[in-house]
Amino acid sequence: MTDGTTEITVVGDDADIVVEMTAFLFERDVDITGLDQAAQEGTVRTTVHVDTSEMATSRETFREDLDDLGDDLGVNVRVRFPADRETQSIAVLVTKESHCLEALLEAWVDGDLGADIEVVIGNHDDLQPLAAKYDVPFHDIGDESGTPDEGRLLDLLDDHDIDLIALARYIRILSPEVVFRYESRIINVHPSLLPAFPGASAYSQAVEEGVRIAGVTAHYVTTDLDQGPIITQRAFNVPDGATKTDLQKRGQPLEAEALTEAIKLHIDDEITVRRGQTTLHNPEETDAQLGAPEELDRQTPDRPIDVDEFVVGDLDETVSADD
């Protein structure tokens, strides 16, 4: 949120929540400034932006009353007040690859992240020792096959009052139940230059297609797999005859870099999502690297280019085909 409004998110199977919510807010002198609904796979998300600056109750009572309303209607309700706290909280979701998690933990310890990593949640327990090294709580929510318990995931996110979810090579697709609750607050890193090679085994897809340039993408997560708004990208050359392992070695450091950069941009409130694309608030004031290094611009030829019209001078002589 960047406009000082309070955000209420309601997730469930009730598409008629707006009537009850409007009455609830009117009774407490809260004005609605914006409303949006989306639905997928039987799950409905209603996002209401409201002005609570003159509401006739305290924040604590407002939260409690919203919880009671959610219980009565059988939906989940989450409220976020502007400037609820100075430092935002991050939950990092992981599977088995450590490079992105380690980069985020190092940035946090060095004071470069701009937020606190409150918890690491995995669908396997492989990275528990790494979290313990940085004294961060770790929870394994996966069964023997790695299938996560998303009910427990949501409980943990609520328990730690999480503002942003970072998918640090979390090899699972989040359900709408999770995505809808944290819309525009989940950032993933994918090992390809999206929209190319979405889905599983992106490096293998790149090898099979014989690309000469591959890369990675940090993006917001939506209910459409690997189609969320792109935040940062990094690219690298693919050597002739490269294997999937070769691409992983080149790509993994860039995955960590792109994800960390994207999280910083989000935490610092430097980007806005409009019409499925991210836009910098003040592009002239940021030093963030969104794509390739500036050196590439200097190496890119600037001629010839297509022009609208040509000025042709008189020719002194005509050259024939025989010449």
Side-chain angles (χ1 to χ4, degrees):
M1 296 181 296
T2 62
D3 58 1
T5 62
T6 294
E7 181 183 88
I8 302 171
T9 304
V10 184
V11 179
D13 58 4
D14 185 0
D16 298 324
I17 185 67
V18 175
V19 176
E20 290 84 353
M21 182 62 67
T22 301
F24 173 90
L25 297 172
F26 177 78
E27 293 170 358
R28 290 159 179 80
D29 295 333
V30 176
D31 295 327
I32 296 177
T33 61
L35 187 147
D36 175 71
Q37 272 194 330
Q40 184 163 339
E41 298 179 10
T43 299
V44 180
R45 185 219 64 225
T46 304
T47 302
V48 187
H49 288 93
V50 299
D51 181 358
T52 55
S53 60
E54 297 183 6
M55 68 177 176
T57 186
S58 67
R59 288 188 174 188
E60 291 73 19
T61 300
F62 190 71
R63 286 184 188 275
E64 293 172 358
D65 291 347
L66 275 175
D67 287 340
D68 291 340
L69 177 64
D71 291 341
D72 291 342
L73 299 175
V75 295
N76 178 274
V77 183
R78 176 182 173 87
V79 59
R80 287 166 50 87
F81 291 101
D84 242 356
R85 55 177 172 269
E86 293 183 0
T87 304
Q88 295 190 55
S89 60
I90 298 176
V92 185
L93 272 58
V94 297
T95 296
K96 294 184 178 182
E97 297 181 26
S98 64
H99 53 287
C100 287
L101 174 60
E102 187 164 17
L104 292 177
L105 290 169
E106 288 181 354
W108 171 53
V109 169
D110 292 341
D112 295 333
L113 200 57
D116 288 331
I117 296 178
E118 295 287 344
V119 63
V120 178
I121 303 171
N123 63 319
H124 294 279
D125 63 1
D126 296 58
L127 300 185
Q128 190 277 334
L130 180 57
K133 175 183 175 182
Y134 291 85
D135 199 26
V136 177
F138 182 95
H139 297 272
D140 177 12
I141 62 169
D143 61 16
E144 293 182 358
S145 64
T147 300
D149 180 345
E150 286 201 340
R152 188 178 175 207
L153 169 61
L154 289 171
D155 288 342
L156 288 169
L157 297 175
D158 284 340
D159 290 345
H160 291 276
D161 200 11
I162 295 301
D163 295 299
L164 178 68
I165 301 172
L167 306 186
R169 299 301 288 128
Y170 179 67
I171 316 300
R172 284 287 172 174
I173 298 174
L174 295 175
S175 73
E177 287 283 337
V178 178
V179 176
F180 275 168
R181 282 170 170 80
Y182 293 89
E183 184 182 25
S184 297
R185 289 198 292 273
I186 307 175
I187 297 178
N188 179 49
V189 63
H190 183 75
S192 81
L193 289 172
L194 292 174
F197 311 134
S201 305
Y203 286 137
S204 295
Q205 293 182 62
V207 171
E208 291 170 2
E209 294 297 330
V211 301
R212 293 300 183 183
I213 297 176
V216 306
T217 303
H219 64 97
Y220 284 113
V221 173
T222 65
T223 53
D224 297 317
L225 180 62
D226 295 332
Q227 296 182 42
I230 292 170
I231 307 174
T232 58
Q233 292 185 305
R234 298 290 187 271
F236 59 90
N237 288 319
V238 178
D240 195 41
T243 65
K244 171 188 173 182
T245 300
D246 295 330
L247 267 61
Q248 285 178 322
K249 289 180 180 179
R250 290 180 176 235
Q252 286 180 347
L254 297 179
E255 292 171 19
E257 182 179 294
L259 179 60
T260 303
E261 187 79 91
I263 289 173
K264 290 179 181 179
L265 287 166
H266 176 94
I267 293 297
D268 293 340
D269 198 23
E270 293 193 39
I271 49 177
T272 297
V273 178
R274 292 192 180 96
R275 298 180 179 178
Q277 297 182 344
T278 57
T279 303
L280 287 172
H281 292 158
N282 300 294
E284 67 282 352
E285 297 179 7
T286 185
D287 58 357
Q289 182 184 335
L290 301 181
E294 292 183 359
E295 288 80 2
L296 181 62
D297 294 335
R298 292 190 284 270
Q299 296 176 20
T300 302
D302 60 359
R303 311 292 294 183
I305 57 174
D306 199 22
V307 295
D308 293 333
E309 59 184 41
F310 296 91
V311 177
V312 181
D314 294 331
L315 296 178
D316 293 335
E317 59 185 49
T318 302
V319 180
S320 67
D322 291 340
D323 294 336

